[in-house]
Amino acid sequence: MASGQGAAKGKVAKRGSAKRGGAAGLLLPLLALAPLGYLAWPTLLVAGPLMAPTLAAAVVDRSRRRHLTYAVGLLNLSCVLPALLRLWTQGHDRATALAVIGDPENWLLAFLGGGLAWLVHLAMPPLVAAYYAVRSRDRLAELHKRRQILEKNWGEEVSGPAE
Amino acid sequence: MIAGRFRVDPAKRLPLFDQPSGMAYLASDQKNASEAVFGLVCRPEMQPRRDAVIKLSRLRLAGLLAPRAIGTLHWAPDDAEREIVIFPQLQGKRLAERPDGRFEPFSETRLSREVLPPLVSTLKELGALYVTHRAIRADNLFFCGADGQDVVLGECVSALPGLFQPVACETIESGQALPSGRGAGRRTDDVYALGALLVTLLCGGPPLPDLDDDELVLRKITRGSCAALVDSRRFSSAVMELLRGLLCDDPKERWSLDEVQLWLAGRRMSPRQVLLPPRAQRAITISGRRREMDREVAQALSRSWAEGVELAVSGELDGWVRRGLGDEERGKRIAGYRAISTGNPLEPDLLLTRALAILDPGGPMRFKGLALRLDGLPGALAQDYDNEDRRKLLAEILASRLPAHWIELQSSGGAEVIAYKKLYEALNGHLGHPGFGFGIERCLYEANPGLACRSPGLARFRVCQIDELLPALERLAAGQGGGGTQEFVDRHVAAFCAARAKDLGSEIYKGLDQPDDLASRRMAVLKLLAEVQKLTGPASLPNLTRAMALLLEPVIQGFHNRPYREELIAEVEATAAKGSLSQLVEALDDPKIQRGDQLGFEQAQVLHRELTQEIDLLEAGALTDPAHVRRTASQVTAVLSALAAVLVFVATAALEVFSF
């Protein structure tokens, strides 16, 4: 009993130290990236709000492989790219960033990309289900046919165990 | 047609020439129409002496009804094949219709002038061919010619030697034996029978008609054959001298035919003293009767076997031999065998067998009430095979090596005895093997080289030689009309093949011992018959091949691959039409194809199992499962989004480049 409790405590302690180790592991890169963040502040100012559909997908997507997040993120990012190019080409400063973010065309484009990914995500399961139903039916027919040919050529006893 | 020239007419009986072994019918010689012949249709249970027929058919002798030919013919009245022996017709009449028939007694003068000279001459001719007659008796004697003075000895080939001989005409040792177990014997047996026939002729019938066979044998033992048969009759001293010489119980002392011819020529010899065995000082009681002589005791004990075993095991018998008979040496020998106990359950019986051989060294082999001469065992086996009790007894005799034990106790041997010893040793080996091609059936055919196959399936046929087997089976198959279930090879046919076709070896019979595996068994049958066909022909056996093809249905069904089965059926049908059993074997017994079929079947089983597993998965909704659909849909969405993103990136980049 005592040894069991000890082992449990040990596990908890290990988990705690791992957590602490993980936080420490993140802190250092963040500190290293802080100057970069300062330099990229206008980019973050533009990308942050325009990537809102991706943030929403990241919050909603609880799957292990996070396909939804990737899908929305990639399309959203590709649609944010023209706004970022405008920022980077017209002056990477706060005023330009505010001008870019104030342009509704950029908002429309960014949310159109994210929305499109969302729409595909929502429409895809019925399509895949329909596809699989047809595929399953065809495959079953083929398998039954092959099995019938085997039974015709080798008799019913072919269904017995292979030696 | 017999021998390609003799026809037998079933509608025309000739009762004059009937024998106990068969009935006579008029026959005709297609090559010599002037000669009157008849056919003796042997009863199915008879074993004609084919070897004797072959030798005697070359002989043209006035004093003997010699066979012209022997053959097998489909006999319409019985709707079965019968062995038929062809003889020339005699113009005369039979002396007696039955063995116990009576007739006018012959005078001594007529006997010595008319009867004896032709009989002696005939027996000498037979002796030159090494054939014993063994059927010299009054009802097998014909008187022919215009005045009925020509004596002709009847036939001797339609049954086993001595089978129908009355005990009076047989030597003591032969009379003690089972009629079917008397064996071919020797020339001295014929000389004895001649002597007994003379007494019969002088008496006008059987000399001792009131005695049964056992009493007659005992009378001969106790008085000597001559005294027993002549009894109180009075004959001239010359005739008595002849009879003493012919009926001498010691074969070595018995007259030869030359001595008889000297007697006929008028030379008189000093009469031989009949030496009877000594009588015991004290008699031994067997079955309530007192017996005093060794051979008499042996004969009585062989008839009261259980009592004999008791006397032998208790030591009473050897005690009587030592003290009663006063023969210390023989008593010790019997006691010696009694002391050796091997734990064999047959030991008490074997002890009595040995004791009787010691008491009566020249007598037959005796075992559990059965008595056989050494050369009579094959005949007994053939004649009494269908008698189950006797067959078992004969098998016991062979299994217990009784002939070898009996031979050991004989004072005289010789090449003939050694040959029989070797034969019985071989039979013992065959008997100990339980499989097809062996057992008591093999012994039957090994011991009787001319014996017809006793297979119940071949009951309507007489298959005596291996080359007669397949033609008979072909006719049998033709009779079935393609719908029979006759298996063609049973234990008898297998044993017959093993005995008659030794070139086939013993391996071929092993496959027949598979009662539970019909396909393998029938394949083994086919292989055996195919080998016989290779050995003996005929080249084409369409009915048998077709019947075998039908029987081989389980072999065809043994192949798993259905399309190959169809091909095989077509091939078998084509082969069956050709009538070659070997080709049928080739079609059905290709190990490469069998292995390929088995391998293919195993692979098909594996594939079938995989297909079934996949079908089960799909039917259980493995693809249309909502979780699987969701997972796949999200993957597809991710991929499509990635592609769209790439397109947008490229488009954006292109616009930027072109805007400069």
Side-chain angles (χ1 to χ4, degrees):
Chain A
M1 187 80 171
S3 67
Q5 281 175 349
K9 276 179 187 173
K11 275 183 187 173
V12 170
K14 270 184 188 172
R15 215 174 286 156
S17 67
K19 232 175 185 177
R20 279 197 297 275
L26 276 174
L27 195 61
L28 280 172
L30 280 175
L31 285 172
L33 287 170
L36 194 66
Y38 178 73
L39 288 173
W41 172 243
T43 300
L44 289 173
L45 194 65
V46 172
L50 293 183
M51 291 294 282
T54 303
L55 287 172
V59 172
V60 171
D61 189 6
R62 307 311 304 165
S63 69
R64 194 165 57 86
R65 295 186 182 246
R66 295 189 168 268
H67 288 127
L68 176 62
T69 309
Y70 288 126
V72 175
L74 281 169
L75 209 54
N76 191 198
L77 182 64
S78 67
C79 291
V80 170
L81 191 63
L84 290 174
L85 282 174
R86 194 176 147 195
L87 172 69
W88 294 335
T89 52
Q90 291 182 2
H92 191 247
D93 52 21
R94 188 169 173 270
T96 312
L98 286 173
V100 169
I101 204 118
D103 187 348
E105 201 177 305
N106 289 332
W107 283 94
L108 182 66
L109 196 61
F111 275 77
L112 193 67
L116 189 66
W118 267 102
L119 275 175
V120 171
H121 172 74
L122 292 173
M124 195 51 71
L127 288 173
V128 169
Y131 167 76
Y132 271 148
V134 171
R135 168 107 191 272
S136 188
R137 190 192 62 208
D138 291 351
R139 179 71 179 152
L140 270 173
E142 186 197 336
L143 292 175
H144 276 297
K145 194 178 170 188
R146 284 178 66 190
R147 197 166 69 169
Q148 276 173 358
I149 290 170
L150 272 182
E151 286 169 359
K152 189 183 164 198
N153 285 345
W154 298 97
E156 290 294 323
E157 62 270 26
V158 79
S159 60
E163 285 173 14
Chain B
M1 193 95 88
I2 306 276
R5 61 187 283 189
F6 298 105
R7 280 189 189 283
V8 184
D9 186 350
K12 292 182 181 165
R13 287 269 290 114
L14 288 175
L16 171 66
F17 302 111
D18 281 356
Q19 287 286 83
S21 52
M23 292 198 287
Y25 291 83
L26 184 69
S28 57
D29 185 349
Q30 303 296 304
K31 290 186 180 170
N32 181 10
S34 62
E35 188 183 30
V37 288
F38 74 92
L40 187 68
V41 182
C42 298
R43 295 200 328 246
E45 68 273 21
M46 289 297 124
Q47 323 303 327
R49 297 165 65 186
R50 280 179 170 262
D51 52 341
V53 174
I54 292 164
K55 287 179 179 173
L56 296 180
S57 58
R58 304 183 202 117
L59 200 67
R60 293 287 180 271
L61 205 63
L64 177 71
L65 185 58
R68 289 289 160 85
I70 186 168
T72 301
L73 210 62
H74 179 262
W75 190 243
D78 298 345
D79 189 25
E81 286 186 350
R82 293 281 176 263
E83 278 183 279
I84 299 176
V85 192
I86 303 291
F87 297 96
Q89 281 188 39
L90 299 176
Q91 302 303 319
K93 63 174 187 175
R94 199 185 283 269
L95 177 63
E97 292 304 317
R98 300 191 315 275
D100 58 348
R102 298 211 63 87
F103 44 86
E104 187 67 28
F106 282 55
S107 67
E108 291 184 5
T109 313
R110 189 183 173 196
L111 210 64
S112 56
R113 287 187 184 166
E114 291 177 16
V115 178
L116 198 51
L119 290 181
V120 170
S121 165
T122 301
L123 290 179
K124 283 196 86 170
E125 290 285 344
L126 287 177
L129 293 172
Y130 299 99
V131 175
T132 53
H133 191 281
R134 307 291 279 109
I136 303 171
R137 56 183 189 268
D139 61 307
N140 197 26
L141 201 64
F142 292 86
F143 284 85
C144 307
D147 51 0
Q149 286 185 339
D150 300 336
V151 179
V152 178
L153 203 49
E155 66 87 19
C156 61
V157 296
S158 63
L160 287 173
L163 184 65
F164 298 110
Q165 283 290 81
V167 169
C169 292
E170 288 293 287
T171 59
I172 293 175
E173 54 274 18
S174 189
Q176 288 171 321
L178 191 71
S180 58
R182 287 171 176 164
R186 294 179 181 177
R187 201 185 306 182
T188 52
D189 294 312
D190 279 342
V191 170
Y192 183 97
L194 179 64
L197 175 69
L198 295 183
V199 178
T200 306
L201 296 178
L202 289 166
C203 298
L208 298 165
D210 299 331
L211 294 185
D212 67 24
D213 289 350
D214 277 349
E215 287 169 339
L216 186 52
V217 167
L218 285 168
R219 172 91 56 107
K220 283 184 181 182
I221 290 170
T222 51
R223 292 192 190 176
S225 289
C226 185
L229 291 177
V230 171
D231 201 18
S232 57
R233 296 176 189 92
R234 293 204 169 272
F235 302 122
S236 69
S237 60
V239 167
M240 278 309 294
E241 181 195 346
L242 171 72
L243 293 179
R244 277 195 206 99
L246 294 176
L247 293 170
C248 179
D249 288 323
D250 182 352
K252 288 175 190 159
E253 293 293 316
R254 197 170 297 153
W255 275 14
S256 67
L257 292 170
D258 290 333
E259 284 172 298
V260 179
Q261 281 183 325
L262 286 176
W263 182 88
L264 283 170
R267 184 173 159 185
R268 295 292 175 262
M269 285 159 276
S270 56
R272 277 182 185 147
Q273 292 299 315
V274 178
L275 291 173
L276 289 174
R279 287 180 184 273
Q281 294 168 350
R282 175 172 62 86
I284 185 167
T285 305
I286 299 162
S287 300
R289 297 189 62 174
R290 292 164 61 80
R291 306 289 178 191
E292 294 176 333
M293 295 163 77
D294 50 3
R295 292 183 82 181
E296 183 190 12
V297 168
Q299 175 65 9
L301 289 180
S302 75
R303 296 291 183 221
S304 310
W305 192 261
E307 190 180 350
V309 168
E310 214 172 288
L311 288 172
V313 171
S314 66
E316 202 175 325
L317 184 61
D318 55 88
W320 175 79
V321 173
R322 279 206 305 270
R323 291 186 292 275
L325 205 57
D327 192 332
E328 192 66 29
E329 191 263 330
R330 285 200 287 175
K332 271 186 185 171
R333 281 170 67 196
I334 296 171
Y337 282 118
R338 186 164 55 81
I340 306 165
S341 178
T342 58
N344 184 343
L346 287 175
E347 197 63 41
D349 297 298
L350 284 173
L351 171 63
L352 183 58
T353 295
R354 286 169 169 146
L356 298 186
I358 290 168
L359 283 176
D360 182 10
M365 296 184 285
R366 295 164 168 114
F367 187 72
K368 293 188 177 179
L370 201 69
L372 304 162
R373 291 176 84 178
L374 184 64
D375 58 347
L377 201 151
L381 196 56
Q383 193 69 34
D384 300 327
Y385 187 83
D386 294 331
N387 180 334
E388 195 179 341
D389 291 339
R390 200 161 282 175
R391 184 174 68 234
K392 281 182 182 170
L393 215 50
L394 291 166
E396 271 187 61
I397 287 175
L398 287 171
S400 59
R401 289 197 158 89
L402 192 134
H405 296 309
W406 184 85
I407 289 167
E408 279 171 21
L409 296 166
Q410 300 302 304
S411 53
S412 59
E416 194 189 23
V417 170
I418 291 166
Y420 276 110
K421 188 177 178 183
K422 279 175 77 175
L423 170 68
Y424 296 144
E425 283 297 318
L427 297 189
N428 179 277
H430 297 318
L431 195 66
H433 199 301
F436 270 67
F438 295 93
I440 188 71
E441 295 88 354
R442 175 74 177 271
C443 297
L444 178 68
Y445 300 113
E446 287 284 355
N448 295 280
L451 185 72
C453 183
R454 297 287 187 87
S455 168
L458 293 172
R460 291 194 303 115
F461 304 95
R462 295 291 289 186
V463 177
C464 299
Q465 304 302 324
I466 189 70
D467 58 352
E468 295 167 353
L469 177 65
L470 291 187
L473 291 180
E474 172 71 2
R475 289 200 294 280
L476 187 67
Q480 288 180 354
T485 53
Q486 175 76 38
E487 287 239 356
F488 298 112
V489 174
D490 57 9
R491 286 191 67 88
H492 272 284
V493 174
F496 182 82
C497 291
R500 301 284 188 271
K502 294 201 165 54
D503 294 346
L504 298 182
S506 59
E507 286 298 310
I508 200 160
Y509 303 99
K510 286 186 178 167
L512 298 168
D513 285 316
Q514 300 181 75
D516 301 329
D517 186 350
L518 199 60
S520 301
R521 199 188 114 69
R522 287 184 173 170
M523 197 64 215
V525 168
L526 175 65
K527 284 180 184 172
L528 174 62
L529 295 181
E531 287 301 315
V532 176
Q533 190 183 22
K534 276 186 203 165
L535 195 70
T536 67
S540 179
L541 295 160
N543 291 306
L544 181 59
T545 313
R546 204 170 293 121
M548 279 307 302
L550 286 174
L551 285 175
L552 288 163
E553 180 70 18
V555 176
I556 296 171
Q557 297 301 327
F559 284 97
H560 299 290
N561 191 283
R562 271 30 178 197
Y564 183 68
R565 276 191 200 174
E566 298 301 319
E567 279 177 36
L568 205 55
I569 288 168
E571 193 180 343
V572 163
E573 280 171 6
T575 310
K578 290 179 197 165
S580 168
L581 292 166
S582 303
Q583 284 184 20
L584 201 57
V585 174
E586 282 168 23
L588 292 168
D589 191 40
D590 187 336
K592 207 172 157 186
I593 291 175
Q594 285 169 348
R595 270 200 305 278
D597 179 72
Q598 186 59 34
L599 196 65
F601 180 67
E602 284 167 11
Q603 286 170 350
Q605 277 185 315
V606 171
L607 184 58
H608 189 278
R609 197 181 56 207
E610 287 171 359
L611 290 174
T612 304
Q613 282 171 352
E614 194 176 342
I615 287 169
D616 290 346
L617 276 175
L618 288 175
E619 284 178 345
L623 280 183
T624 52
D625 174 50
H628 179 251
V629 168
R630 268 199 309 276
R631 202 163 47 245
T632 311
S634 60
Q635 284 172 356
V636 172
T637 304
V639 170
L640 286 177
S641 294
L643 288 171
V646 168
L647 282 174
V648 173
F649 273 124
V650 171
T652 307
L655 280 173
E656 281 299 319
V657 169
F658 287 119
S659 64
F660 277 109

